[in-house]
Amino acid sequence: MGLPTEFAEAPISVAALTPRVVQSVDWLAVAPPTLLALAALAVLVADLFLPKARKPVLGAVTIGGIVLAGLSLLPLHGGTRSTFCLTTGSHTCSYEADRFTLVIQLLVLGGALLTALLSHDAVRDDRLPAGEYWFLLLSSAAGAALLPAARDLATLVVALEVASLPAFALVGLRRGDRRSSEAALKFFLSSVTATAVTLLGVSFVYAATGTMHLTDIAHSLGDVDPRLAVLARTGVVLTLVGFAFKTAAVPFHFWVPEAYVGAPLPVAGYLSVVGKAVGFTGIALVTVVAFPSYANVWGPVLAVLAAVTMTAGNVAALRQRPDRRHGAVRLLAWSSVGQAGYLLVPLAAAGYAQEPGRAIGSTVAYALMYAAVNLGAFAVAALVSRTSPAQRLADYRGLFARRPLPALCLAFFLLCLAGLPPGVIGLFAKVTVFSAAVDAGLGWLAVVMAVNVVIALYYYLQWAALLFREAEGDGAGALKVPAPLGAAIGLAAVAGVVLSGAPQLVLRFASGTLL
């Protein structure tokens, strides 16, 4: 039997009935995390063949890879680029390189570069395995650079874990050091618990909406089946828990002091900046992009977290005694918890604001200031630890007499964190956070922040005053500044001075809509 005439005259192609599933990848858009991943693989392979005397080359390769990834951001400045998009339905994409992505990637790469400079001598002095150290640092940075571009929950969770898992190993990389191993174990166990809770929340959201893409979730949650409302609300809260852990928000902050003390100082600085950037980026994406219809749930939760976090961090930092071992690192650790509270304020305000993207801009502006000056403070701490490994606050007494430039840089960093001139950038960054809270009608949160700023002024100024006092006895001895460490301090100081000289850059971020 032959085919009917109409079929014989109009043959149907099988390809025409099959939806297009082959995607083209925009390699330029994905260049920053890809280059970091390739550099990590290059370091891992090179480590197998390089003799021990040539291991410092791996550090140079790491710095070169980070710089190359930073240069790859330049062609992306022109506009938004998307890739890994759905070929049917809503055609939403899993990776998007927009203005928000580029700013966070710049922060991550800048933090990774300063960390690499800090680590150059620490790897040798602490006898850390060079190949593993540089590979883990690049791998973590690759995950952190991927996360701000993620536009679906699966990519978001994968990027979060790629950024976090190498960090556990970096904290515990000092072999034979019980404090380092204990810190890594605490960090690992608490983080794995938080990740499990996050995955449970993601599964609840997927069950309620049937999609993983953030914009599709936002549309689905706006008209969710009433029978699934409780499931969706629970998923929203549980998803936020994992990201709150990464930001060291109370009550997920208990790992911070032990991890910072047990980790090599460059790793502690990396966690305080890049680790926090990962957490805040995740919170911004899931709240503003995916869960805007549940702002009445996450808005109040983040506001309370912000108030409790900044209070707990600043009060604990205030209690650090000058003669306590590792007191300087503990103060920086608790200070970072307090700063996390400030960073949460605009995110909470986004739940009440008419333009939540503008509130996100305030968080980004504050994060840029915090990243530069906090890593600078860790750089000076790494310098002092070369002659005073106990890292007491008292070891900084008379630092100006021994090393005027590092002492002046540390004083500048502390004034920036406190929000006092000449650290104008810190003042402007705090003003943008206050404005975000007041504009959103969160006057009570602005009052809590004002009280905490006054508390923080005391311990920041107390530490700064120690630098210019007369040293007891012979002091801590002469300080030799290695070139990479000096470069890290100098770069951080230059960044702080430039930002202080052009505070309109902060206001530009805070007044614009990033998401």
Side-chain angles (χ1 to χ4, degrees):
M1 293 178 62
L3 289 172
T5 305
E6 60 270 26
F7 284 93
E9 293 178 353
I12 300 176
S13 170
V14 175
L17 297 176
T18 305
R20 184 167 175 260
V21 295
V22 179
Q23 304 181 37
S24 59
V25 178
D26 187 344
W27 291 107
L28 185 61
V30 301
T34 302
L35 288 172
L36 289 173
L38 291 175
L41 290 175
V43 166
L44 189 63
V45 173
D47 182 50
L48 298 175
F49 301 98
L50 284 176
K52 188 174 182 180
R54 300 289 302 278
K55 295 295 184 182
V57 173
L58 300 177
V61 173
T62 299
I63 293 174
I66 295 172
V67 171
L68 191 60
L71 293 176
S72 70
L73 296 177
L74 296 176
L76 302 176
H77 184 66
T80 300
R81 302 175 72 107
S82 303
T83 188
F84 302 113
C85 304
L86 295 177
T87 56
T88 58
S90 62
H91 296 281
T92 53
C93 302
S94 295
Y95 188 102
E96 191 168 292
D98 54 12
R99 188 175 173 221
F100 174 78
T101 300
L102 297 186
V103 173
I104 300 299
Q105 286 181 339
L106 178 63
L107 189 157
V108 168
L109 293 173
L113 177 61
L114 286 176
T115 303
L117 291 172
L118 288 177
S119 304
H120 193 275
D121 292 288
V123 170
R124 182 189 66 247
D125 296 341
D126 292 344
R127 297 181 180 178
L128 302 176
E132 290 92 327
Y133 184 91
W134 297 117
F135 169 75
L136 292 170
L137 179 62
L138 285 167
S139 299
S140 179
L146 170 64
L147 193 138
R151 293 299 182 269
D152 69 69
L153 290 177
T155 306
L156 207 58
V157 172
V158 169
L160 181 67
E161 291 310 300
V162 172
S164 300
L165 289 174
F168 307 147
L170 285 171
V171 170
L173 207 56
R174 287 198 291 207
R175 297 169 181 171
D177 188 332
R178 189 175 66 178
R179 185 184 295 108
S180 179
S181 301
E182 182 181 348
L185 183 61
K186 288 181 179 178
F187 187 17
F188 174 75
L189 292 177
S190 52
S191 183
V192 165
T193 303
T195 300
V197 174
T198 304
L199 289 174
L200 182 62
V202 168
S203 66
F204 284 177
V205 171
Y206 178 73
T209 61
T211 182
M212 283 285 193
H213 288 81
L214 302 183
T215 52
D216 290 346
I217 289 173
H219 291 125
S220 299
L221 286 179
D223 189 28
V224 70
D225 189 326
R227 294 172 297 180
L228 300 175
V230 174
L231 183 69
R233 191 177 296 111
T234 305
V236 169
V237 173
L238 293 179
T239 302
L240 290 176
V241 167
F243 295 105
F245 168 85
K246 301 300 178 184
T247 61
V250 174
F252 313 107
H253 68 294
F254 49 84
W255 59 273
V256 174
E258 298 301 327
Y260 283 27
V261 170
L265 268 176
V267 175
Y270 177 83
L271 292 176
S272 73
V273 171
V274 179
K276 276 187 174 50
V278 167
F280 285 107
T281 301
I283 290 178
L285 288 173
V286 298
T287 54
V288 175
V289 180
F291 305 149
S293 57
Y294 280 76
N296 61 325
V297 175
W298 55 260
V301 170
L302 291 180
V304 173
L305 278 180
V308 176
T309 299
M310 67 177 73
T311 303
N314 286 321
V315 169
L318 193 64
R319 297 177 56 192
Q320 299 305 311
R321 300 187 307 273
D323 58 344
R324 183 179 183 182
R325 286 181 61 85
H326 306 290
V329 179
R330 288 184 179 277
L331 190 147
L332 287 173
W334 286 114
S335 165
S336 72
V337 174
Q339 298 287 344
Y342 304 149
L343 285 162
L344 281 171
V345 170
L347 295 176
Y352 299 86
Q354 294 295 328
E355 295 184 13
R358 183 163 295 180
I360 298 304
S362 297
T363 289
V364 172
Y366 196 95
L368 289 172
M369 178 280 301
Y370 171 74
V373 300
N374 202 64
L375 272 172
F378 270 100
V380 179
L383 173 63
V384 173
S385 69
R386 296 175 66 84
T387 56
S388 304
Q391 274 294 320
R392 295 184 295 262
L393 285 169
D395 296 332
Y396 292 80
R397 188 183 184 101
L399 180 62
F400 179 75
R402 305 194 301 276
R403 278 291 175 183
L405 287 179
L408 289 174
C409 289
L410 179 57
F412 175 68
F413 298 143
L414 294 174
L415 290 176
C416 285
L417 291 171
L420 291 177
V424 177
I425 185 61
L427 175 62
F428 271 79
K430 281 185 168 58
V431 167
T432 62
V433 173
F434 273 113
S435 299
V438 173
D439 292 344
L442 294 172
W444 67 270
L445 186 55
V447 171
V448 172
M449 182 178 174
V451 172
N452 276 278
V453 168
V454 174
I455 295 174
L457 282 177
Y458 179 80
Y459 62 78
Y460 284 133
L461 292 179
Q462 187 181 44
W463 190 357
L466 274 175
L467 304 175
F468 303 97
R469 291 181 182 172
E470 185 178 353
E472 297 177 355
D474 296 329
L479 287 170
K480 294 183 179 180
V481 186
L485 193 53
I489 298 173
L491 283 176
V494 168
V497 170
V498 169
L499 290 173
S500 294
Q504 63 270 22
L505 293 175
V506 172
L507 297 179
R508 182 181 176 185
F509 280 114
S511 61
T513 299
L514 288 182
L515 282 176

